[in-house]
């Protein structure tokens, strides 16, 4: 290990992670024309990298800033002048940069510019020890949704050009786990050989609209150091038909069989974990339809994060950067006391809540999620939790924007992980005014409160949520229905929305910001994941002595 006296540390990792080398890209500006599909043979992909991976991590901000040591020659494009290439070691060098809409910057992957803005923002709020963790810089993406366009002879599988619906082929994406790139090449080969027609948005014709590739690195049959590079790919084909009985279903089955025959468990590669189909005929921009079908391979998809095994169906939300998410969860665990009562809002398949239930022996965990498709994944994950868990665990298919206070009361810790747009208005209002609420018994189980409610749609929503809930372990009888949460943990993937929500919470005087951490979930972009810990402000009791009345 080389430890220079500067703000960048360089670690050489030999035979731990796989990274397929590609020729250094020229420093000259790329044409905006989408690159042609690279004729990369799937069957000649190397098993191990031909040079070591270099991961850059940020040293403490107090370290002296001096010139960085020269990087290995293979990591930087050849310099054409003294100012042509920045003297930075953490370079993207992707042949598709500036063509697709994925990565937005090419250098300093370990520390995007937005980190300095975040550090200054939190310093202005009294948090001077903001930290930023960076994991893998290349091959980090374990989940990708790609559009399929072009023709059967020349299929384009990739992302849209910025501001357009023109698909850029990205066979050599440096962000993708290498096995996603390999699976894409196998899919491309199948499309050509079987004459599968990619989707035509203008005409609404064609067969294959999108593909979702998800990598599982949880293969306990392999040593831990080999699991990441040998991850297998769950392939979900978004098919342009109403269901599996449509006229083009023969082509779907033929493509699935091709993938499995050449990449499944009996192939030399054993690259493919499973093949699924999703049926979508809508003309809007929504990728997935409501109908799913498992075609081939293993039905259950498992990953290990936050100390537990988690199950994720292709319809469930999953973090793209598995390793960074695991780091975030382990950091989050430090702020939840043992035996706490936790409410996990925007819970998805309940990964965060179940991770806390297992590692912190929580008294109770409530997971609230609006997407009903996440329920099966939650149930499968619960089945693999340690049998020693004695607390109450429940999952509720409900909208947190409806009567949010009823989900907050009775919990010691609230965890919120909203989409990029941030918190719903009703939830932020409930959090802002939480200290002034006169808490009543939960509306979800109180018949007296139901009688007071005048809006029938709210009643229907509550009843539906109750019917859609899942209860594991003992009934929640140890919660104090009069108590209010002391800790709020906010996980954000949208920096701008987080800043607004954070300011709103602090301006209400109900919450104080105690800690903040950043995570590099999307190297090559200006997006960061933020973990912020708030503590509820408690009103100080007046202790002054009463003045005696003068006679």
């Amino acid at each position: 290990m080389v430890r220079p006296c500067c703000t960048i540390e360089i670690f050489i990792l030999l035979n731990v992670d796989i990274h397929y080398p590609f020729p250094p890209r020229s420093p000259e500006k790329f044409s905006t024309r989408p690159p042609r599909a690279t004729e990369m043979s799937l069957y000649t992909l190397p098993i191990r990298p031909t040079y070591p991976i270099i991961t850059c991590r940020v040293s403490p901000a107090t370290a002296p800033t001096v010139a960085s040591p020269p990087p290995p020659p293979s990591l930087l494009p050849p310099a054409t002048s003294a100012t042509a290439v920045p003297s930075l070691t953490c370079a993207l060098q992707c042949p598709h940069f500036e063509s697709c809409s994925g990565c937005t910057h090419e250098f300093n992957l370990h520390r995007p510019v937005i980190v300095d803005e975040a550090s200054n923002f939190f310093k202005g709020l009294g948090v001077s020890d903001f930290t930023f963790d960076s994991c893998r810089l290349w091959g980090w993406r374990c989940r990708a949704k790609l559009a399929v366009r072009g023709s059967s002879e020349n299929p384009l599988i990739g992302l849209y050009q910025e501001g357009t619906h023109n698909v850029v082929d990205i066979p050599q994406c440096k962000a993708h786990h290498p096995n996603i790139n390999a699976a894409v090449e196998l899919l491309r080969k199948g499309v050509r050989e079987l004459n599968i027609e990619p989707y035509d948005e203008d005409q609404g014709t064609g067969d294959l609209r999108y593909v979702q590739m998800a990598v599982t690195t949880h293969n306990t049959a392999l040593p831990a150091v080999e699991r990441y590079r040998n991850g297998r790919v769950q392939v979900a084909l978004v098919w342009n038909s109403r269901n599996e009985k449509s006229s083009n279903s023969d082509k779907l089955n033929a493509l699935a069989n091709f993938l499995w025959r050449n990449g499944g468990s009996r192939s030399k590669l054993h690259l493919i974990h499973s093949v699924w189909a999703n049926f979508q005929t809508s003309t809007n921009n929504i990728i997935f339809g409501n109908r799913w079908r498992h075609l081939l391979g293993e039905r259950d998809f498992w990953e290990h994060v936050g100390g537990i095994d988690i199950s994720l169906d292709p319809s469930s939300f999953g973090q793209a950067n598995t390793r960074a998410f695991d780091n975030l969860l382990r950091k989050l665990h430090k702020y939840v006391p043992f035996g706490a009562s936790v409410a996990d809002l925007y819970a998805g398949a309940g990964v965060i809540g179940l991770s806390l239930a297992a590692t912190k022996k929580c008294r109770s965990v409530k997971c609230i999620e609006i997407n009903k498709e996440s329920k099966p994944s939650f149930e499968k994950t619960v089945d693999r939790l340690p049998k020693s868990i004695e607390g109450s665990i429940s999952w509720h298919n409900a909208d947190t924007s409806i009567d949010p206070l009823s989900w907050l009361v009775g919990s010691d810790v609230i965890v919120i992980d909203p989409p990029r747009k941030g918190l719903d208005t009703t939830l932020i209002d409930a959090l802002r005014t939480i200290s002034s609420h006169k808490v009543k018994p939960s509306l979800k189980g109180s018949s007296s409160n139901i009688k007071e409610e005048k809006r029938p749609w709210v009643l229907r929503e509550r009843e539906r949520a109750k019917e859609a809930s899942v209860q594991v372990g003992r009934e929640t009888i140890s919660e104090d229905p009069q108590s209010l949460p002391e800790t709020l943990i906010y996980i954000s993937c949208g920096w701008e929305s987080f800043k607004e929500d954070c300011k709103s919470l602090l301006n209400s005087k109900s919450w104080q910001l105690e800690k903040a951490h950043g995570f590099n979930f999307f190297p090559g972009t200006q997006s960061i994941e933020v973990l912020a810990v708030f503590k509820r402000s408690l009103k100080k009791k007046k202790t002054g002595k009463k003045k005696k009345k003068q006679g």
Side-chain angles (χ1 to χ4, degrees):
M1 181 176 70
V2 181
R3 189 181 294 275
C5 182
C6 63
T7 58
I8 296 180
E9 297 177 356
I10 300 179
F11 296 83
I12 309 296
L13 306 178
L14 293 173
N15 294 331
V16 175
D17 298 304
I18 189 166
H19 171 67
Y20 298 118
F22 299 107
R25 71 184 293 270
S26 167
E28 298 176 0
K29 186 174 178 64
F30 264 54
S31 168
T32 56
R33 176 186 61 79
R36 291 192 182 96
T38 302
E39 297 295 331
M40 180 175 65
S41 172
L42 175 72
Y43 304 103
T44 59
L45 290 176
I47 299 302
R48 292 182 184 274
T50 57
Y51 59 82
I53 296 174
I54 297 182
T55 301
C56 306
R57 296 179 182 173
V58 184
S59 296
T62 56
T65 302
V66 297
S68 301
S74 62
L75 282 183
L76 291 180
T80 56
S81 68
T83 58
V85 180
S87 58
L88 303 171
T89 58
C90 302
L92 180 64
Q93 290 191 80
C94 183
H96 313 301
F97 185 71
E98 294 183 343
S99 294
C100 81
S101 57
C103 298
T104 58
H105 66 277
E106 196 172 10
F107 300 100
N108 261 354
L109 303 188
H110 69 291
R111 188 178 175 89
V113 176
I114 196 172
V115 175
D116 294 327
E117 179 190 333
S119 180
N120 291 332
F121 174 81
F122 288 116
K123 188 177 293 184
L125 298 177
V127 178
S128 57
D129 57 350
F130 172 75
T131 64
F132 184 73
D133 295 341
S134 189
C135 297
R136 291 182 58 89
L137 302 181
W138 308 281
W140 54 267
R141 180 175 280 280
C142 290
R143 187 172 291 262
K145 297 183 181 73
L146 304 172
V148 183
R149 300 293 186 268
S151 65
S152 57
E153 296 82 11
N154 184 29
L156 305 176
I157 306 175
L159 301 177
Y160 292 122
Q161 239 177 346
E162 190 69 35
T164 76
H165 269 218
N166 300 324
V167 172
V168 178
D169 208 30
I170 53 172
Q172 299 177 6
C173 176
K174 300 296 283 292
H176 286 169
H177 187 292
N179 286 354
I180 288 182
N181 288 340
V184 167
E185 288 309 302
L186 182 59
L187 176 63
R188 189 191 313 279
K189 185 178 177 67
V191 168
R192 287 172 174 159
E193 289 192 10
L194 299 172
N195 195 31
I196 305 295
E197 286 297 326
Y199 183 62
D200 185 317
E201 286 188 54
D202 295 330
Q203 303 297 324
T205 58
D207 301 313
L208 184 57
R209 299 168 64 118
Y210 299 94
V211 61
Q212 176 178 265
M213 303 280 189
V215 176
T216 171
T217 64
H218 183 47
N219 185 353
T220 55
L222 295 174
V225 295
E226 297 180 13
R227 292 175 190 172
Y228 193 88
R229 73 165 178 260
N230 288 286
R232 290 182 293 145
V233 185
Q234 178 195 71
V235 180
L237 306 169
V238 182
W239 206 247
N240 189 33
S241 64
R242 296 180 64 86
N243 53 51
E244 61 271 30
K245 296 180 181 179
S246 299
S247 57
N248 59 353
S249 61
D250 289 344
K251 285 188 174 183
L252 170 62
N253 292 326
L255 182 57
N257 286 323
F258 176 90
L259 294 172
W260 189 248
R261 184 171 62 253
N262 292 285
S265 58
R266 295 186 179 181
S267 71
K268 293 181 180 180
L269 292 176
H270 197 185
L271 173 71
I272 305 299
H273 169 276
S274 56
V275 184
W276 290 71
N278 176 264
F279 300 96
Q280 171 69 293
T281 57
S282 172
T283 57
N284 57 33
N285 291 329
I286 298 175
I287 293 178
F288 294 132
N290 295 324
R291 188 175 181 85
W292 290 86
R293 181 186 170 194
H294 172 246
L295 300 178
L296 293 164
E298 298 180 42
R299 186 176 186 88
D300 294 334
F301 179 96
W302 293 94
E303 192 52 86
H304 188 82
V305 294
I308 63 171
D309 292 345
I310 64 169
S311 171
L312 288 174
D313 285 343
S315 58
S316 298
F317 170 78
Q319 290 287 352
N321 194 329
T322 306
R323 286 189 168 183
F325 182 50
D326 184 59
N327 284 352
L328 182 147
L329 287 178
R330 294 181 186 280
K331 183 80 73 173
L332 183 151
H333 291 170
K334 298 179 181 180
Y335 299 106
V336 177
F338 277 92
S341 178
V342 176
D344 180 9
L345 278 59
Y346 307 95
V351 176
I352 297 175
L354 294 177
S355 164
L356 291 172
T359 59
K360 308 301 288 189
K361 308 298 181 186
C362 294
R363 185 170 71 256
S364 70
V365 171
K366 294 179 294 188
C367 300
I368 302 95
E369 168 58 35
I370 194 171
N371 178 16
K372 65 181 179 181
E373 301 295 336
S374 299
K375 180 180 177 182
S377 293
F378 172 85
E379 294 174 319
K380 291 174 186 176
T381 301
V382 166
D383 287 340
R384 280 206 184 182
L385 290 179
K387 302 301 180 183
S388 58
I389 295 179
E390 298 180 352
S392 168
I393 302 174
S394 57
W395 184 90
H396 307 267
N397 180 209
D399 186 345
T400 54
S401 67
I402 299 175
D403 190 20
L405 184 62
S406 66
W407 299 111
L408 304 180
V409 297
S411 297
D412 306 314
V413 178
I414 303 295
V415 180
I416 48 179
D417 185 10
R420 192 171 298 275
K421 67 178 182 179
L423 300 180
D424 292 303
T425 303
T426 52
L427 176 57
I428 196 80
D429 287 344
L431 289 169
R432 281 172 50 85
T433 58
I434 193 167
S435 297
S436 60
H437 276 287
K438 184 178 181 181
V439 181
K440 298 178 181 180
S442 173
L443 297 178
K444 295 185 295 297
S446 172
S447 59
S448 61
N449 284 330
I450 289 178
K451 290 178 181 178
E452 294 174 5
E453 180 55 61
K454 302 297 183 182
R455 297 171 293 172
W457 64 274
V458 173
L459 299 184
R460 289 196 301 269
E461 182 68 21
R462 289 177 184 156
E463 190 62 29
R464 184 186 65 82
K466 184 178 180 181
E467 293 174 356
S469 65
V470 178
Q471 178 72 42
V472 181
R474 68 171 189 264
E475 290 293 330
T476 309
I477 57 176
S478 57
E479 290 183 358
D480 179 3
Q482 302 295 320
S483 68
L484 294 173
E486 301 293 330
T487 303
L488 170 65
I489 301 177
Y490 191 138
I491 302 169
S492 169
C493 62
W495 173 241
E496 293 301 324
S497 60
F498 169 79
K499 287 193 296 183
E500 295 302 315
D501 289 345
C502 180
K503 292 175 184 177
S504 182
L505 290 171
L506 298 180
N507 289 341
S508 70
K509 305 300 182 183
S510 292
W511 298 94
Q512 297 175 341
L513 180 63
E514 285 210 344
K515 291 286 183 180
H517 305 281
F519 299 86
N520 201 8
F521 271 40
F522 306 100
T525 75
Q526 286 298 326
S527 296
I528 61 172
E529 199 87 1
V530 170
L531 172 67
V533 182
F534 298 83
K535 290 291 185 179
R536 189 163 63 86
S537 302
L538 301 178
K539 294 181 178 179
K540 296 181 179 180
K541 295 181 180 180
K542 295 180 180 180
T543 57
K545 296 181 180 179
K546 294 182 180 180
K547 293 183 179 180
K548 294 183 179 180
K549 293 182 179 180
Q550 294 180 354

